[in-house]
């Protein structure tokens, strides 16, 4: 069971903006550990989408953005496109567990 | 181009063993921490083990302690996962992933994954 909680699903029409929350606690996000985000298209390996809370790797469009505040983080996708339909996971570190790295529960984004 | 290619997955009976490999190319393998992350069918991602560059540090989740061993051969640009005493709950796609050392490490490149099925 993950210590980072995400909504199971979010949806939006093409062109709309959707946000995905990642809620942690004082032993992970709230302790100041950075949050990273991954996109997993159906049947493929995860791909790094955001690192260090809000940084985009080369090739990730600027309609994708990340932020962090307190014990939570968010991923926003603007100008939603059909190719954004995928699973999204946040990741951080938790100081209270044996687990060195922790992932969020995952969110399925559906483009209506 | 960075590439990570896993192999070695398959069907194994409970209590059995399996060895996964991950062949790396396109970067200086010895300079990076490497990891195994798994994903059970229809479930989310779970980090399993990490090995630092030069194999100085190894970290793992409790559920694989004493059963799984991570190792690397920098001369062969390869990462390994020896899995013993396998259980049904170890059934998953196993990904190798390169970690970037940052305030909180993250995984910038992933392999395509190899499926491990533990079933009688």
């Amino acid at each position: 069971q993950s210590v980072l909680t995400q909504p199971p699903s979010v949806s939006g029409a093409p062109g709309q903006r959707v946000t995905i929350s990642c809620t942690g606690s004082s032993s992970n996000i709230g302790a100041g550990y950075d949050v990273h985000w991954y996109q997993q298209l159906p049947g493929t390996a995860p791909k790094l989408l955001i690192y260090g809370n809000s940084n985009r790797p080369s090739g990730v469009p600027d309609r994708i953005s990340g932020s962090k505040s307190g014990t939570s983080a968010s991923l926003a996708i603007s100008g939603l496109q059909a190719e954004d339909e995928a699973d999204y996971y946040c990741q951080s570190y938790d100081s209270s567990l044996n687990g060195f790295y922790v992932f969020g529960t995952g969110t399925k984004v559906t483009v209506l | 181009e960075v590439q990570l290619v896993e192999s070695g997955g398959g069907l194994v009976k409970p209590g059995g063993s399996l060895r996964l490999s991950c062949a790396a190319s396109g970067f200086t393998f010895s300079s990076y921490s490497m990891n195994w992350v798994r994903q059970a069918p229809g479930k989310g991602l779970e980090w399993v083990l990490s090995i630092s560059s030069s194999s100085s540090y190894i970290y793992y989740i409790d559920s694989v302690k004493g059963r799984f061993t991570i190792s690397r051969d920098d001369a062969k640009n390869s990462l390994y996962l020896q899995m013993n005493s396998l259980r049904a709950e170890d059934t998953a796609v196993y990904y190798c992933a390169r970690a970037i050392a940052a305030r909180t490490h993250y995984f910038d490149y992933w392999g395509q994954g190899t499926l491990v099925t533990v079933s009688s």
Side-chain angles (χ1 to χ4, degrees):
Chain A
Q1 48 280 51
S2 176
V3 297
L4 302 181
T5 303
Q6 300 177 231
S9 64
V10 298
S11 62
Q16 284 190 329
R17 181 177 187 267
V18 297
T19 61
I20 301 169
S21 60
C22 174
T23 302
S25 67
S26 58
S27 63
N28 42 69
I29 299 174
Y33 297 111
D34 287 344
V35 178
H36 319 294
W37 291 89
Y38 303 87
Q39 177 193 57
Q40 187 175 32
L41 296 168
T44 69
K47 167 193 167 186
L48 179 66
L49 208 58
I50 292 286
Y51 65 94
N53 305 316
S54 58
N55 301 291
R56 286 184 302 274
S58 173
V60 174
D62 60 6
R63 60 188 185 83
I64 307 285
S65 63
S67 63
K68 174 192 159 186
S69 178
T71 58
S72 295
S74 290
L75 177 75
I77 306 174
S78 302
L80 198 62
Q81 300 178 6
E83 66 235 39
D84 297 325
E85 190 158 293
D87 293 322
Y88 293 81
Y89 295 90
C90 58
Q91 177 246 314
S92 186
Y93 173 87
D94 192 287
S95 61
S96 70
L97 299 177
N98 166 258
F100 205 53
Y101 305 117
V102 288
F103 286 95
T105 50
T107 298
K108 168 70 176 179
V109 169
T110 300
V111 181
L112 302 172
Chain B
E1 178 195 4
V2 171
Q3 281 198 316
L4 299 169
V5 180
E6 302 94 336
S7 60
L11 175 64
V12 61
K13 289 182 169 53
S17 298
L18 211 56
R19 189 194 195 210
L20 306 184
S21 300
C22 172
S25 61
F27 66 102
T28 305
F29 179 74
S30 60
S31 298
Y32 290 85
S33 164
M34 297 298 296
N35 300 260
W36 288 99
V37 178
R38 67 184 178 183
Q39 186 170 35
K43 303 296 184 182
L45 301 170
E46 179 182 44
W47 169 81
V48 183
L49 298 109
S50 175
I51 185 167
S52 65
S53 58
S54 73
S55 305
S56 302
Y57 302 100
I58 290 175
Y59 305 97
Y60 45 82
I61 55 172
D62 272 344
S63 60
V64 305
K65 184 179 180 180
R67 301 189 301 122
F68 289 12
T69 303
I70 189 173
S71 62
R72 62 190 297 161
D73 185 336
D74 290 345
K76 294 184 177 179
N77 291 336
S78 292
L79 176 72
Y80 304 103
L81 177 59
Q82 178 66 44
M83 302 185 292
N84 299 327
S85 303
L86 281 161
R87 306 166 180 168
E89 55 264 35
D90 296 317
T91 294
V93 173
Y94 285 74
Y95 297 100
C96 72
R98 187 178 86 166
I100 293 296
R103 239 152 49 103
T104 306
H105 293 195
Y106 59 92
F107 310 109
D108 65 339
Y109 285 96
W110 300 62
Q112 85 287 352
T114 187
L115 175 62
V116 172
T117 303
V118 184
S119 174
S120 54

